[in-house]
Amino acid sequence: MKYIVAMLVMTGVAVNTEAMKDMSDKIEAKDFNPATVLWYQAPAADWQAALPVGNGRLGAMVFGNHGNERIQLNEETCWSGGPYSTVVEGGAEALPTIQNYIFEGEPIKAHKLFGRKLMGYPVEQQKYQSLANLMLFFDGQEKVTGYKRWLDLETGIVCVEYSVDGVTYRREVLSSAPDQVIAVRLTASKPGHLSFKAQLRGCRNSAHSNYATDYFRMDGVGQSGLMLNGKSADYLGIEGKLRYKAELQAMPEGGSMKVEDDFLIVENADAVTLVIAAASNFKNYQDVGADQNRRVADDLKKVEGKSFAEIAEASVADYAPYFKRVSLTLPTNERSFLPTDERKTLAQTKADPSMAALCYNFARYALIASSRPGTQPANLQGIWNEDMNPSWDSKYTTNINAEMNYWHAQSGNLPEFFEPFKKMAQELTDQGAQVAKEHYGARGWVFHQNTDLWRVAAPMDGPCWGTFTVGGAWICNQLFDHYLYTQDEAYLQEIYPLLQGSVQFFLDFLVEDPSGQYLVTNPSTSPENPPKGPGYEYFFDEVTGNYYFTTICYGSSMDIQILTDLFGNYLEAEKILGKTSDVGPQAQAARRRLAPPKIGRDGTLQEWTEDLEQMEDKHRHFSHMYGLYPGNVISAKRTPQYIDGVKAVLEQRGDGGKGFSMGWKMALWARLYDGDRANKIFRTYLELQCCPQLFAQCGSALQIDGTMGVAAGITEMLVQSHEDVIDLLPALPSEWADGAFEGVCVRGGFELDMVWKDRRVAEVAILSKAGKRCRIDDGAPFAVLQDGQEIATKRNGDGSLEFETVKGGVYTLVRK
């Protein structure tokens, strides 16, 4: 929706009216949108500075080197192993003893028994793998001038440009969703000046052997191509059953081309287009019976005879409408047009509000590029991974990270791109139901803190992490939140069995605490913070083989908050769908007996049912803050009695941390209506945990969760909708005095275009997608117009404005 046509003239910004101007020239002239272009004056120093392209399934990281270029390639289903199960039969027999140990203050005994009886086996899971590296070798390009590389978020195309001896060379790289290929266009400004050698190199996981158990073969294809054929690694006793293929075909213009062994050699061409197709034999988490050779051949057949311009046109036509659904405009200044790495550094100390808009837009780009209907969901690194042993195996970590990847999907007007996350949840109920029965003696389904391509669901890594039984419940809450945004009852009907199955599990799993007053989870954990109290001490853990601590407990605050939302969401789903079952009354009764939040002796919100201290007071996770964000249990409006305790936790743990931590903290402070504090954390994020191309880091490892979390935090600063009212500019930083947010979505099925000036909302247009009643608040009087005519409104006691809408209707709010 772009019903408001408004252009804010920010400090020092001239509006560009020239059409089709080349981006290289625009960068030189400082005549581009600094919220949609990342650009640099040097090649990527390492993989974490390379620029990403992706079509949801195929990804590439472009380094932009001259002389020797590397384009690192990924295909989303290239994982170690093959279909397997981690379910351990009969573990439930040990559960009562484990629970008694925890209640009796002997957590280490409980930890050890859980490790022996309830951990999944294998204890670890499979790894996401790199596919290949396309290497391009250019002679005589050691020294260049006029170097630039950039990523245009409006097209999804990466470009590299530089000059050597008066000849300008350019490379353009994209990953096409309609054609399912990665395309590389190489040109020279003078005819006959493009010569290079190309090699498609495989990747092997040789951590434990020079040759390992995976393999690949590199071959030429006729006189115009290269191919790579390979097998996944055996890992943890699971046979590598994936077979994959990548093939490159070259289309030169002028000059000559030949293949020698596994090198493609181009000499004296005017231009060359390279297309790369890749696929595996993966059908689904249970079946690897596809034909990767046929898949690759079919994809190459689709682009046969197509020019790069035709491939690019189709790719942009597919991508751009999604990206352009939302635009965020924030004030710019002279620093906004600097190279992105320089800009990122300066923004830490000097205001550059549009840097936040660039980070927001990059997050939406990353989701479109790594999660499309029919693909796998975005993992810890999206679809981009160069390492055969990546940090945390680049899996789906569900004690925060996988959920955070999708926090901005609904508000960012990308609901289709949430589909892979929903499908993963549906697939997890398979082994999840088996784990519920065998490990816990319960109905329904349960899922813990990690899964992989093969959708295993049992506890993994060790009891410190594996006792997180609410991973599936958290996913269910996020599935329900998708409904709140879309108001799609057919979708709600589809996910209803998942909600009910999760509720059924916890109705069986919850037990009375020692006081007999509350129902609690047992065993439990608060990711990933160890308690400090009686019975908690360092010991040698036989599961991990390390001298470590335990986090095992009962009734962590996060568990209870997630279940409060889960039971409430399930009951609401029953009401909306008109369903009745014996589960509903049980869920309602159990919800009333869940322990409420508590403030501890030290004035902080308790992380556990017991008032325990913590071993790590600067812990990276904010698990017991779930109820404030993304949950809806704690509220500055509804539960003010907890807010001082929440702030005490945030102050204690500080504004630093990992990338995902800072994205989360931005959203938490926004929910506390403190935009300047959220903006301060954003600046800290840019300094400490943000890669040059704006992917987040988790320590030293690239992860995308923080990227997405920052976008969600920015949204929460500008608009909130979790309190059954649309709250405009609830946490606006003082630096963002003027701006526009167009196409942003809120709960209730509404899409907004909003402009503000001098920190006050100037005008709002609302598209009602579902015809629901609208409640909106910015603390000022508005007239509501439809088709230019003022309609009836109601002013509520909380100051919000309420009015009826019709599906497809557009309503303009004008300040009186």
Side-chain angles (χ1 to χ4, degrees):
M1 187 181 82
K2 297 289 169 61
Y3 293 101
I4 295 177
V5 179
M7 174 58 71
L8 301 175
V9 180
M10 306 302 180
T11 305
V13 179
V15 179
N16 175 32
T17 58
E18 296 181 38
M20 303 302 291
K21 192 175 181 183
D22 183 83
M23 183 56 70
S24 178
D25 295 335
K26 290 181 180 181
I27 290 172
E28 289 293 330
K30 298 183 179 180
D31 189 16
F32 62 93
N33 184 352
T36 61
V37 177
L38 294 79
W39 77 281
Y40 309 82
Q41 292 180 307
D46 54 32
W47 184 79
Q48 294 199 6
L51 292 173
V53 296
N55 65 9
R57 189 180 69 85
L58 298 176
M61 292 285 267
V62 184
F63 284 64
N65 290 317
H66 47 84
N68 296 336
E69 169 66 305
R70 175 189 174 197
I71 300 176
Q72 187 267 321
L73 305 172
N74 286 105
E75 199 278 343
E76 63 169 0
T77 62
C78 282
W79 287 68
S80 63
Y84 74 113
S85 171
T86 56
V87 179
V88 175
E89 295 182 1
E93 294 178 7
L95 182 60
T97 304
I98 292 168
Q99 293 172 327
N100 287 336
Y101 280 145
I102 294 171
F103 282 146
E104 292 166 3
E106 298 189 273
I108 293 178
K109 286 185 178 180
H111 179 112
K112 290 181 176 179
L113 187 56
F114 188 98
R116 291 186 177 188
K117 299 295 186 178
L118 290 184
M119 289 302 302
Y121 190 83
V123 175
E124 296 181 45
Q125 295 173 358
Q126 301 301 311
K127 302 172 182 285
Y128 183 46
Q129 306 282 265
S130 179
L131 172 69
N133 289 284
L134 172 59
M135 307 300 299
L136 302 174
F137 303 96
F138 305 89
D139 290 335
Q141 292 191 1
E142 290 76 19
K143 295 182 179 180
V144 305
T145 59
Y147 182 94
K148 288 190 290 290
R149 64 184 172 103
W150 66 88
L151 166 59
D152 183 353
L153 299 178
E154 294 190 21
T155 64
I157 299 176
V158 169
C159 293
V160 180
E161 183 180 277
Y162 53 84
S163 296
V164 180
D165 297 330
V167 180
T168 299
Y169 296 91
R170 176 179 283 197
R171 290 193 291 279
E172 299 169 85
V173 185
L174 61 84
S175 184
S176 168
D179 286 321
Q180 286 298 304
V181 295
I182 291 170
V184 183
R185 174 73 168 171
L186 302 97
T187 61
S189 62
K190 293 183 180 180
H193 278 69
L194 183 61
S195 299
F196 63 91
K197 294 173 66 176
Q199 189 178 43
L200 193 58
R201 293 180 177 174
C203 304
R204 176 168 291 128
N205 193 339
S206 55
H208 307 293
S209 163
N210 288 336
Y211 299 98
T213 57
D214 50 352
Y215 63 76
F216 57 81
R217 290 184 58 174
M218 301 157 51
D219 294 291
V221 181
Q223 291 302 303
S224 63
L226 303 170
M227 69 176 174
L228 177 74
N229 288 280
K231 166 196 174 296
S232 64
D234 304 343
Y235 185 57
L236 303 173
I238 306 303
E239 181 184 352
K241 292 186 177 181
L242 269 174
R243 303 295 184 268
Y244 61 86
K245 180 176 184 175
E247 183 172 336
L248 175 151
Q249 283 292 323
M251 296 174 282
E253 298 167 33
S256 64
M257 179 174 66
K258 60 183 178 180
V259 171
E260 291 185 355
D261 192 16
D262 54 14
F263 279 95
L264 174 76
I265 302 170
V266 174
E267 294 180 336
N268 305 318
D270 304 333
V272 178
T273 296
L274 309 176
V275 293
I276 304 161
S280 78
N281 62 341
F282 178 89
K283 280 188 176 180
N284 58 53
Y285 68 102
Q286 297 173 312
D287 187 348
V288 289
D291 184 344
Q292 71 276 15
N293 298 300
R294 172 53 54 193
R295 286 176 164 178
V296 168
D298 288 346
D299 288 338
L300 289 174
K301 184 70 174 177
K302 284 193 300 184
V303 296
E304 189 176 323
K306 287 187 179 181
S307 67
F308 179 83
E310 291 172 316
I311 295 171
E313 183 179 0
S315 179
V316 174
D318 170 82
Y319 161 79
Y322 295 120
F323 180 77
K324 292 180 178 180
R325 284 178 181 174
V326 177
S327 67
L328 174 60
T329 304
L330 293 174
T332 62
N333 53 47
E334 67 280 1
R335 291 181 293 279
S336 304
F337 298 90
L338 293 171
T340 304
D341 47 351
E342 295 179 30
R343 189 180 173 194
K344 185 173 80 75
T345 300
L346 288 172
Q348 297 160 19
T349 55
K350 297 180 180 180
D352 180 4
S354 188
M355 189 70 190
L358 181 63
C359 288
Y360 174 84
N361 286 330
F362 179 76
R364 290 185 70 253
Y365 166 78
L367 184 63
I368 297 169
S370 63
S371 176
R372 281 181 170 249
T375 73
Q376 299 300 310
N379 63 44
L380 282 173
Q381 295 181 184
I383 52 171
W384 302 280
N385 169 41
E386 69 163 348
D387 196 343
M388 303 305 281
N389 292 286
S391 298
W392 303 286
D393 303 328
S394 196
K395 295 192 298 289
Y396 303 100
T397 302
T398 48
N399 62 18
I400 179 63
N401 316 88
E403 292 91 345
M404 185 179 282
N405 283 353
Y406 290 89
W407 278 357
H408 69 308
Q410 318 306 333
S411 60
N413 211 336
L414 296 172
E416 303 94 330
F417 299 85
F418 185 73
E419 187 272 342
F421 188 80
K422 179 202 71 176
K423 184 178 179 183
M424 179 177 72
Q426 292 168 324
E427 293 173 342
L428 283 168
T429 63
D430 184 346
Q431 288 196 34
Q434 300 172 48
V435 174
K437 178 182 177 182
E438 296 295 340
H439 291 234
Y440 299 100
R443 299 170 297 163
W445 69 282
V446 63
F447 169 63
H448 299 77
Q449 99 291 7
N450 259 300
T451 192
D452 54 23
L453 182 70
W454 313 110
R455 302 298 186 255
V456 293
M460 59 88 61
D461 277 351
C464 278
W465 305 275
T467 47
F468 187 69
T469 57
V470 294
W474 188 345
I475 289 173
C476 283
N477 290 339
Q478 200 150 336
L479 296 178
F480 186 78
D481 204 41
H482 177 86
Y483 163 76
L484 294 178
Y485 276 89
T486 64
Q487 300 292 303
D488 182 348
E489 291 191 15
Y491 162 84
L492 185 60
Q493 182 72 50
E494 183 184 3
I495 67 165
Y496 174 79
L498 279 74
L499 302 180
Q500 186 177 69
S502 185
V503 169
Q504 285 176 317
F505 171 80
F506 286 102
L507 289 175
D508 290 350
F509 180 61
L510 288 167
V511 293
E512 288 187 343
D513 73 344
S515 73
Q517 184 176 4
Y518 299 120
L519 293 177
V520 295
T521 49
N522 184 3
S524 172
T525 184
S526 184
E528 297 170 356
N529 200 16
K532 182 180 179 182
Y536 289 95
E537 59 187 36
Y538 280 85
F539 68 103
F540 188 82
D541 179 13
E542 66 185 22
V543 177
T544 63
N546 292 313
Y547 196 69
Y548 211 53
F549 49 69
T550 186
T551 63
I552 203 167
C553 64
Y554 71 86
S556 74
S557 298
M558 183 183 218
D559 282 8
I560 303 306
Q561 292 167 13
I562 287 175
L563 295 184
T564 299
D565 276 348
L566 174 69
F567 291 165
N569 293 338
Y570 173 72
L571 292 168
E572 183 67 13
E574 279 204 336
K575 179 180 176 182
I576 293 165
L577 297 174
K579 292 182 178 293
T580 57
S581 71
D582 59 351
V583 177
Q586 295 172 36
Q588 194 168 47
R591 191 172 190 261
R592 286 194 293 263
R593 293 192 64 193
L594 295 175
K598 298 177 183 178
I599 304 299
R601 296 185 303 272
D602 62 358
T604 65
L605 186 75
Q606 284 184 201
E607 192 159 357
W608 301 275
T609 296
E610 295 181 284
D611 191 2
L612 299 169
E613 297 179 69
Q614 53 191 335
M615 288 189 185
E616 299 177 358
D617 63 356
K618 302 296 183 186
H619 194 73
R620 60 196 173 275
H621 284 256
F622 287 79
S623 300
H624 52 317
M625 303 289 104
Y626 167 91
L628 179 62
Y629 186 90
N632 200 19
V633 176
I634 299 171
S635 163
K637 292 181 179 179
R638 289 181 288 101
T639 61
Q641 67 270 29
Y642 301 126
I643 298 307
D644 285 344
V646 167
K647 289 182 177 178
V649 174
L650 290 168
E651 294 288 359
Q652 178 193 74
R653 298 196 180 176
D655 293 342
K658 311 299 184 186
F660 79 86
S661 305
M662 286 186 268
W664 199 351
K665 278 182 278 194
M666 286 174 63
L668 291 167
W669 280 111
R671 286 274 172 101
L672 297 173
Y673 309 123
D674 192 337
D676 284 329
R677 185 62 174 269
N679 191 38
K680 177 176 179 287
I681 293 167
F682 171 65
R683 288 182 168 193
T684 303
Y685 162 79
L686 292 176
E687 177 185 7
L688 300 178
Q689 288 286 276
C690 182
C691 294
Q693 88 291 68
L694 306 185
F695 276 137
Q697 292 176 281
C698 185
S700 60
L702 183 152
Q703 286 187 189
I704 70 164
D705 44 24
T707 304
M708 312 311 206
V710 163
I714 290 168
T715 303
E716 291 292 313
M717 294 156 76
L718 298 175
V719 61
Q720 297 178 14
S721 61
H722 60 290
E723 302 273 24
D724 196 30
V725 62
I726 302 167
D727 197 349
L728 304 178
L729 305 183
L732 185 70
S734 55
E735 292 175 355
W736 301 2
D738 304 313
F741 207 0
E742 298 181 322
V744 64
C745 294
V746 295
R747 295 171 183 86
F750 300 104
E751 181 181 325
L752 308 183
D753 288 354
M754 172 175 60
V755 173
W756 66 95
K757 296 180 181 179
D758 297 325
R759 299 180 55 80
R760 296 178 67 202
V761 174
E763 190 172 351
V764 185
I766 303 173
L767 170 64
S768 177
K769 295 180 175 180
K772 302 291 184 178
R773 179 180 300 145
C774 182
R775 293 182 64 217
I776 193 163
D777 185 19
D778 117 299
F782 282 94
V784 180
L785 308 180
Q786 184 184 19
D787 297 327
Q789 300 296 314
E790 186 170 355
I791 66 171
T793 61
K794 174 187 174 184
R795 180 69 63 178
N796 296 310
D798 61 0
S800 64
L801 196 67
E802 184 175 311
F803 55 95
E804 300 294 332
T805 74
V806 296
K807 186 175 182 179
V810 179
Y811 303 83
T812 304
L813 277 64
V814 181
R815 186 180 291 274
K816 291 182 178 178

